[in-house]
Amino acid sequence: MTDDEQMAGQQGQGTCLFEAAGLRLLHRPAPSDHALVLFEDAPEAGRLRPGWLTGPGGEAVDLYRVVPQRAGLFPADEMQALCGVLAGTNARPAIAIGAGLGGQAALRHGQAAGCAIALAFSPMGVAPAGHPTVADIPEQDIAPLAMVAFDPKRRPDALQAEALRLLDGVHVLPLPHMGHRTERTLIGDHVAREVFAAALRGDAGEVARLLRHNRSHDDGFLSSLSLACSERGHYRWAADIAEQGDPARRHMPDLAMARAEAQAGLGRPLEAVETLEGLVVSAPRSPRYWGLLIDRYEAMGQDVAVAELLELALAYTENFNFCARLIRKLSGMNGPARAQASALADMARQHWPDRGGQIDRLAKGLAGIA
């Protein structure tokens, strides 16, 4: 065993079966009745994590990992050699799986790797630029049964799915409100095992049902659905959705922001402010959280509070946008506030010399103020 193989085994990745300049094939054997071929989209911390493919305690699964040395790059000559090794090593029914650029690779190379089934989550790059309704993958290269999970509300992914829909054997699985991270529907106890069992039976409808049902365990889905309800004026539904899931997760940023939107819509602006203040306290250097809190006070018509918060946000983040916004806010107020705006503009010119023209436009009319 080589040093690389020993290192892979120590890290729980398995044995290295193939290695070239652009690709590696790692194998973690297990006595399961099928094999998984995971096409990763990055050399480290890819979108679809191997741990999501096993159940509690890391249930046994015969796992092959195709790992690119550079994110999203699968050289054709190396893939041909790698697929030959993989097809010659595995004799079990196999499922090719991947997300993003890894999803594209699972569709493009899964059959050559000996997989009769491919499961791609929000695949990227399957339709050439300018031809979103033409798949840039030869139909004969795609596994006999291919399933493509995507969010139809996300136009780039919807265009890729529309191109693949025209190919024989491809089933599209719409997962609204999941964004581009549709692979997160595999997270959870036994979920992946049930999805793979349905895929091996050729039941694409059951795969879609399982994935749609499991969306409720994802913070991103809950927050997106809650915000969609708020946009349509269904604030009570929005609030209820934002409170779903594990209580330990309700402080998470996406859910908290959705909850604040619903609280404001229900006529509870102070509760919305408290929710957003919690985000600011958890990450005081985040311009995004400060901006949301300031916007909420702006919507309440609290000009003095907005100015104070902008000053605090500027101190913590040193973000020019907060400085510009504070100058505009102070310029529209009376008395000492306008003098403060003029002084702030002078300070900004020194701190951001490359923004001089923009600062001059903001401070127009303030030059004569003592």
Side-chain angles (χ1 to χ4, degrees):
M1 181 178 291
T2 67
D3 291 342
D4 287 341
E5 289 173 338
Q6 291 177 346
M7 182 176 295
Q10 291 170 359
Q11 295 174 347
Q13 297 177 340
T15 300
C16 184
L17 301 181
F18 175 90
E19 184 164 13
L23 294 170
R24 285 194 303 158
L25 175 63
L26 304 175
H27 182 213
R28 190 179 66 194
S32 54
D33 58 0
H34 67 275
L36 297 176
V37 180
L38 171 59
F39 289 83
E40 302 193 9
D41 60 309
E44 296 180 2
R47 279 176 48 174
L48 209 167
R49 308 296 175 83
W52 299 351
L53 307 181
T54 61
E59 290 175 343
V61 59
D62 198 33
L63 179 65
Y64 294 86
R65 297 172 55 203
V66 180
V67 185
Q69 303 285 36
R70 294 178 60 189
L73 293 180
F74 298 86
D77 56 339
E78 294 183 13
M79 276 303 311
Q80 184 176 2
L82 183 150
C83 287
V85 171
L86 207 161
T89 303
N90 174 56
R92 297 170 179 165
I95 301 174
I97 184 171
L101 290 169
Q104 180 215 66
L107 293 169
R108 189 180 294 274
H109 304 290
Q111 181 163 243
C115 302
I117 300 166
L119 180 54
F121 291 89
S122 304
M124 298 168 57
V126 298
H131 301 278
T133 58
V134 180
D136 190 24
I137 300 177
E139 193 169 66
Q140 64 271 20
D141 289 352
I142 296 181
L145 175 62
M147 290 166 279
V148 179
F150 73 107
D151 184 344
K153 297 182 177 296
R154 191 171 188 272
R155 181 170 172 77
D157 292 347
L159 290 175
Q160 301 295 314
E162 192 61 32
L164 288 164
R165 187 196 299 269
L166 303 177
L167 303 180
D168 287 342
V170 176
H171 299 260
V172 295
L173 314 178
L175 300 175
H177 299 292
M178 279 302 299
H180 73 291
R181 297 300 305 272
T182 50
E183 70 277 4
R184 292 183 62 83
T185 51
L186 287 176
I187 300 175
D189 294 349
H190 306 294
V191 174
R193 185 176 67 179
E194 294 178 6
V195 167
F196 299 145
L200 289 166
R201 296 195 305 269
D203 193 345
E206 177 64 4
V207 171
R209 187 195 69 80
L210 289 166
L211 295 177
R212 282 197 294 267
H213 180 267
N214 199 48
R215 289 179 300 171
S216 60
H217 297 285
D218 182 66
D219 297 341
F221 166 74
L222 293 174
S223 60
S224 176
L225 184 59
S226 175
L227 288 171
C229 288
S230 289
E231 289 172 2
R232 291 163 176 76
H234 304 308
Y235 299 112
R236 172 49 59 192
W237 292 352
D240 291 344
I241 291 168
E243 292 293 342
Q244 288 181 18
D246 185 349
R249 297 203 319 260
R250 291 177 189 164
H251 70 285
M252 299 302 288
D254 287 345
L255 285 176
M257 288 185 286
R259 187 165 61 253
E261 191 70 22
Q263 289 167 336
L266 289 170
R268 305 203 300 259
L270 295 181
E271 291 183 24
V273 164
E274 289 178 4
T275 299
L276 295 173
E277 284 175 345
L279 286 178
V280 169
V281 169
S282 69
R285 298 192 183 279
S286 168
R288 184 186 186 192
Y289 300 160
W290 278 108
L292 290 169
L293 179 60
I294 292 165
D295 288 345
R296 183 54 53 200
Y297 273 99
E298 190 89 66
M300 295 165 60
Q302 301 289 330
D303 287 344
V304 174
V306 168
E308 291 174 349
L309 284 171
L310 283 168
E311 192 170 357
L312 282 172
L314 179 59
Y316 275 101
T317 68
E318 296 189 5
N319 185 293
F320 176 77
N321 291 329
F322 289 136
C323 181
R325 191 170 174 180
L326 180 55
I327 292 173
R328 283 195 296 268
K329 175 60 66 177
L330 294 172
S331 298
M333 300 170 70
N334 296 322
R338 290 175 59 80
Q340 185 181 352
S342 181
L344 181 60
D346 291 339
M347 180 276 292
R349 289 188 187 92
Q350 298 177 21
H351 197 74
W352 292 284
D354 57 322
R355 302 285 192 123
Q358 186 176 352
I359 295 167
D360 289 342
R361 288 191 294 274
L362 288 169
K364 187 177 180 180
L366 295 173
I369 299 175

